[in-house]
Amino acid sequence: MSADTPPKPVRRKLRSESWFAGTDKDAFIHRSWMKNQGLPDDAFDGRPVIGICNTWSELTPCNAHFRDVAERVKRGVLEAGGVAYEFPVMSLGETNLRPTAMLFRNLASMDVEESIRGNPIDGVVLLAGCDKTTPALLMGAASCDLPTLMVSGGPMLNGNYKGERIGSGTHVWLFSEKVNAGEMSVDDFMQAESCMSRSAGHCMTMGTASTMASMVEALGVTLPGNAAIPAVDSRRYAFAQMSGRRIVDMVREDLRLSKLLVRDAFVNAVRTNAAIGGSTNAVLHLMAIAGRVHADAGANLNLDDWDALGRDVPTLVDLMPSGRFLMEDFFYAGGLPTVLRALGDAGLLNKDVLTANGSTLWNNVKNAPNHNTEVIRPLTKPLVESGGIAVLRGNLAPLGCVLKPSAATPALMQHRGRAVVFENIEHYKERIVDEALDVDANSILVLKNCGPKGYPGMAEVGNMGLPPKVLRQGVTDMIRISDARMSGTAYGTVLLHVAPEAAAGGPLALVQDGDWIEVDVAGRRLHLDVPDAELAVRRAKWKPEPVAMRTGYQGLYVERVMQADQGADLDFLVGCRGHAVPRESH
Ligand code: FES
């Protein structure tokens, strides 16, 4: 070789080769059984092995089209010289799973983590859609840290009822309140059911699924444009195919999740959430994902970041539940790249963070056009001046609680009212319809024992419906306080995720009917106006509610789940455990 001949690049030994290369008994076992699927010898010649982690399930309607999406990913992997193996993981359907899909987010993340680590794969494509599937998959994958690319399934087409847009979830809450107030017939309510869900895909409001699809795009763990393409648009399938091609190169470049999920990327995601008017659930999910990257759970993102980073970011996207439009409109207007460009133009974006396509975030979005300034408003004409998530603290929530100002009533942001207390969800359901209930529009509804340990799983019941007798007076919002979550499709002046929760002995457990509560959103304060001595007397008498299930996964969950201010992950799952497995199976 002459002195000026460039050295040949050394091919990095791939992880899968420790299963498939060689002539010993173990390699024989690994290859031979895989060959029963009709694979040729060269499927094991050292080409990148891509796992397609699929949350397909007919019980998760938002993800029911994922077999087709997976086929397109496979096509892309093959085109790029890789080999693809699809594998199932636990699927979490928001509308069917009881007591709440959130109870199983961490369980699904364990399934994902161990399925990735235990198998001969070099890189993984995560197929997610319905609310909890996105964080569960990314949490599990982050704990392994292989090259990883996410493909969201895409939103449903716009709902349409009697010629009007209706949004998943948002109009369920709205219509059911109208029925309770006697303003809508049950027949009309039933008719709206089919008009809401018109195609494959996830909720088409800026609920949790669309929010999380936007979050993963802002984090740079998808190709640009992931969030908004409707599930049934041909471009969703082309996107899946392109993602299949790209993951093969990510393996060759060893572009692992830990190189993408850096603090600057989380900062971008928090600001993006404010700009899109995203779900309060993103607070929990992003902190849980960040906690999987670093053993120090708050290193990349903590609850105070949510308040500080999003406070000055205007909400630009006029989508339900905060605004008027839906995800299909968002896609036609330009989708998330247009929002990211606006944030970058305003100096609100860390432009240099690396993304999955190997380019910086800014390079991906700097020329994104805005095709409809009604849907994606300019910075000079935002939907809400100060979006983001407000984090309130005080003697009622020492570790914090959250409120989404863009979905709240401005007149209620500073309020003093008397508590109407519900000890648990059954107590609420029984009592809220009682015409003799001592409640009016100025009361504050307090719901206990619906947090991570209490429900268990922190159900989406925090946006509890208003008392019918108040609704009939034409009242549309009241302050509600709970240790629960609310659906990302919901709205109202709702203080959520109160930590510590009532079931863990937080001060929320001590509130009684008639107590005065002060809410000061601008001052970020939530105060229970009861003397300390009286609270001490109540605490001495307090007993936790009995736990429904002490064994099985639910028993483990209740024992080890962290509070909402830390993302409600299981404490022993925090951190990245890597992908090394030193021992053979035989
Ligand atoms: Fe699946 Fe809303 S129910 S995304």
Side-chain angles (χ1 to χ4, degrees):
M1 187 165 67
S2 71
D4 49 3
T5 306
K8 265 187 143 183
V10 180
R11 191 178 74 82
R12 194 171 54 85
K13 188 177 179 224
L14 297 178
R15 180 175 185 265
S16 58
E17 289 180 79
S18 73
W19 274 263
F20 293 138
T23 54
D24 63 5
K25 164 192 69 97
D26 290 321
F28 177 105
I29 291 172
H30 299 313
R31 288 190 302 260
S32 177
W33 267 262
M34 290 296 276
K35 283 182 174 178
N36 79 356
Q37 300 176 80
L39 293 163
D41 286 343
D42 61 11
F44 308 99
D45 64 359
R47 65 189 65 202
V49 176
I50 306 302
I52 301 174
C53 177
N54 200 343
T55 49
W56 168 85
S57 166
E58 288 175 342
L59 288 169
T60 306
C62 310
N63 298 13
H65 59 300
F66 278 17
R67 281 174 159 173
D68 292 341
V69 179
E71 284 306 315
R72 299 308 178 111
V73 174
K74 274 185 204 168
R75 200 182 278 185
V77 170
L78 292 173
E79 284 169 345
V83 58
Y85 301 114
E86 187 182 345
F87 63 94
V89 288
M90 184 180 192
S91 189
L92 307 175
E94 197 62 31
T95 49
N96 288 324
L97 263 177
R98 291 180 178 171
T100 168
M102 180 65 171
L103 175 62
F104 307 108
R105 183 198 66 179
N106 303 337
L107 178 62
S109 81
M110 285 197 273
D111 182 356
V112 172
E113 176 183 344
E114 302 302 340
S115 295
I116 293 174
R117 183 181 298 116
N119 276 299
I121 54 182
D122 302 306
V124 61
V125 175
L126 308 172
L127 301 189
C130 198
D131 295 12
K132 306 302 175 293
T133 55
T134 301
L137 266 54
L138 197 51
M139 287 160 71
S143 284
C144 282
D145 196 25
L146 284 177
T148 302
L149 192 54
M150 184 163 262
V151 175
S152 298
M156 288 187 264
L157 296 176
N158 287 355
N160 192 296
Y161 174 67
K162 295 186 175 177
E164 301 285 335
R165 282 182 184 83
I166 58 169
S168 317
T170 302
H171 275 80
V172 180
W173 321 128
L174 185 71
F175 287 165
S176 83
E177 299 269 77
K178 278 179 182 281
V179 171
N180 285 340
E183 294 167 11
M184 184 179 196
S185 73
V186 172
D187 278 355
D188 281 351
F189 187 54
M190 293 294 104
Q191 212 184 80
E193 192 175 285
S194 310
C195 304
M196 186 173 291
S197 306
R198 296 175 47 231
S199 76
H202 59 68
C203 290
M204 81 316 255
T205 41
M206 189 50 84
T208 305
S210 302
T211 299
M212 290 310 297
S214 301
M215 293 295 91
V216 290
E217 185 173 341
L219 284 170
V221 298
T222 71
L223 294 185
N226 171 71
I229 310 169
V232 294
D233 194 295
S234 54
R235 286 161 283 188
R236 175 61 64 185
Y237 290 91
F239 182 89
Q241 190 165 336
M242 297 300 288
S243 298
R245 290 182 193 170
R246 176 60 194 152
I247 187 66
V248 176
D249 283 338
M250 286 174 73
V251 168
R252 292 183 176 127
E253 295 161 15
D254 196 26
L255 181 51
R256 286 176 283 122
L257 268 182
S258 57
K259 297 179 186 173
L260 306 177
L261 293 177
V262 297
R263 175 163 167 87
D264 278 356
F266 284 103
V267 169
N268 285 341
V270 170
R271 290 190 173 134
T272 302
N273 189 63
I276 63 175
S279 163
T280 45
N281 284 318
V283 177
L284 297 163
H285 298 327
L286 256 68
M287 288 196 295
I289 294 164
R292 294 301 187 92
V293 183
H294 283 284
D296 177 0
N300 268 340
L301 187 66
N302 60 46
L303 193 58
D304 289 327
D305 288 330
W306 278 96
D307 194 300
L309 296 169
R311 197 182 268 226
D312 299 324
V313 180
T315 300
L316 303 177
V317 176
D318 192 347
L319 254 61
M320 297 177 205
S322 300
R324 298 171 291 165
F325 297 98
L326 293 167
M327 286 299 284
E328 196 182 333
D329 308 301
F330 185 44
F331 175 55
Y332 301 143
L336 198 73
T338 306
V339 178
L340 294 172
R341 178 186 174 175
L343 288 176
D345 286 339
L348 292 167
L349 203 65
N350 293 314
K351 294 179 173 176
D352 295 331
V353 288
L354 184 63
T355 71
N357 69 353
S359 194
T360 64
L361 188 63
W362 187 240
N363 263 339
N364 292 340
V365 304
K366 65 186 179 193
N367 296 317
N370 187 343
H371 300 299
N372 188 335
T373 54
E374 289 282 303
V375 178
I376 305 174
R377 300 200 185 194
L379 281 155
T380 49
K381 215 178 138 201
L383 180 69
V384 177
E385 287 285 347
S386 173
I389 301 288
V391 177
L392 280 69
R393 287 196 172 84
N395 69 346
L396 190 47
L399 297 178
C401 66
V402 303
L403 172 112
K404 182 174 165 182
S406 66
T409 302
L412 291 172
M413 300 289 218
Q414 179 101 33
H415 187 78
R416 180 175 157 86
R418 299 188 76 175
V420 177
V421 177
F422 308 100
E423 294 298 327
N424 52 44
I425 192 65
E426 289 77 23
H427 189 217
Y428 162 77
K429 285 182 177 168
E430 175 192 313
R431 219 175 160 215
I432 197 72
V433 290
D434 183 355
E435 293 290 323
L437 185 66
D438 184 11
V439 63
D440 61 31
N442 292 317
S443 304
I444 294 181
L445 306 181
V446 177
L447 177 60
K448 303 178 185 176
N449 291 303
C450 293
K453 291 176 191 290
Y455 202 76
M458 210 181 173
E460 292 186 337
V461 294
N463 57 313
M464 61 198 116
L466 307 188
K469 73 175 192 184
V470 176
L471 282 171
R472 285 197 301 273
Q473 294 161 8
V475 175
T476 54
D477 195 10
M478 290 169 66
I479 293 188
R480 287 154 275 179
I481 300 175
S482 177
D483 45 15
R485 298 176 299 119
M486 76 171 179
S487 164
T489 64
Y491 49 85
T493 312
V494 193
L495 292 140
L496 302 153
H497 310 184
V498 169
E501 64 179 305
L508 187 69
L510 309 179
V511 186
Q512 294 182 355
D513 272 342
D515 287 349
W516 285 98
I517 295 176
E518 291 166 15
V519 175
D520 174 10
V521 177
R524 300 299 197 251
R525 182 167 175 267
L526 178 62
H527 181 69
L528 176 63
D529 197 1
V530 174
D532 288 347
E534 167 61 16
L535 290 177
V537 171
R538 293 183 193 178
R539 179 163 295 289
K541 290 187 195 155
W542 176 76
K543 281 196 190 74
E545 291 211 329
V547 174
M549 217 183 274
R550 287 204 172 273
T551 57
Y553 170 72
Q554 292 199 22
L556 176 71
Y557 178 92
V558 169
E559 197 181 310
R560 303 299 291 270
V561 70
M562 301 191 297
Q563 288 295 286
D565 63 307
Q566 293 185 296
D569 201 357
L570 301 181
D571 56 4
F572 60 89
L573 292 176
V574 171
C576 176
R577 286 165 282 283
H579 49 77
V581 189
R583 286 186 171 162
E584 265 293 357
S585 56
H586 292 89

